[in-house]
């Protein structure tokens, strides 16, 4: 059986030309989002108005955000800003740069999310915790050191690691994500949302 064609409103991501000092976003999405969450893009625009909380009921365990750039971007640090009053170590983040959690070499190098105290910046009041993504090196015969990433990356993904402290406080909320290069915070060129319509000529009836 055929149904009459229908009209469906879609939002299409349209790429725009971008300046040399900007990082153009190809895609940005979350594994799940609560109804109160804003678009993942609002976490990257520098407005301080973004807010993302996982929809899952297991307090955000294994939930995260994926960001991909059109071209490789030179990055020293990545800051993930959380809302709320969290003790150091209460929330864990596993992070992946271009799908990897570490770099090969003579000394072991891992990508780590190190908690930092949030500060007020650029007129926006910040309350919560900032997790900074760095390289953690393990020199032979010495203690670990946290150093800048110094990496050209195309994709970044992080996911929350839940524990007892997180479960007691509910799901974490991300309010901003910043990529910091050799010259400071990198401005983002975000995809533009355009409303359009698509009409199907027919729709197949599903099997019973």
């Amino acid at each position: 059986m055929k149904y009459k064609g229908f009209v469906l409103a879609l939002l299409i991501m349209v790429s725009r030309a971008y300046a040399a000092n900007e990082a153009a976003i190809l895609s940005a999405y979350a594994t799940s989002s609560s109804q109160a969450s804003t678009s993942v893009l609002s976490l990257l625009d520098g407005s301080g108005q973004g807010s993302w909380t996982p929809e899952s009921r297991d307090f955000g365990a294994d939930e995260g955000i994926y960001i991909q750039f059109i071209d490789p971007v030179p990055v020293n640090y990545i800051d993930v800003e959380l809302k709320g009053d969290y003790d150091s170590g209460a929330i864990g983040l596993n992070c992946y740069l271009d799908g990897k959690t570490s770099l090969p070499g003579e000394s072991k190098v891992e990508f780590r999310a190190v908690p930092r105290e949030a500060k007020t910046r650029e007129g926006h009041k910040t309350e919560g915790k900032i997790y900074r993504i760095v390289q953690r090196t393990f020199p032979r015969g010495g203690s670990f050191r946290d150093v800048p990433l110094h990496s050209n990356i195309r994709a970044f993904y992080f996911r929350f690691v839940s524990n007892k402290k997180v479960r007691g406080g509910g799901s974490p909320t991300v309010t901003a994500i910043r990529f910091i290069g050799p010259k400071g915070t990198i401005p983002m060129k975000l995809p533009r949302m355009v409303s359009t319509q698509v009409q199907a000529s027919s729709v197949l009836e599903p099997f019973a």
Side-chain angles (χ1 to χ4, degrees), residues 5-66:
F6 61 92
V7 177
L8 176 65
L10 297 178
L11 290 176
I12 297 181
M13 309 286 277
V14 178
S15 176
R16 297 179 289 178
Y18 56 98
N21 64 330
E22 293 178 318
I25 300 292
L26 178 64
S27 61
Y29 59 86
T31 53
S32 71
S33 299
S34 67
Q35 292 184 353
S37 296
T38 59
S39 166
V40 173
L41 295 178
S42 67
L43 305 176
L44 300 164
D45 62 10
S47 67
Q49 303 300 313
S51 177
W52 171 75
T53 305
E55 175 63 20
S56 64
R57 298 182 180 180
D58 55 356
F59 306 99
D62 295 323
E63 297 284 354
I65 289 177
Y66 175 81

Side-chain angles (χ1 to χ4, degrees), residues 82-93 113-118 127-131 161 163-166 168-169 172:
L82 274 64
K83 179 181 179 181
D85 185 13
Y86 301 103
D87 293 332
S88 178
I91 297 175
L93 273 70
V114 180
R116 305 174 66 241
E117 292 299 329
E127 296 178 352
K129 185 75 68 176
I130 294 177
Y131 280 74
V161 181
N163 57 31
K164 293 181 180 179
K165 293 181 180 179
V166 176

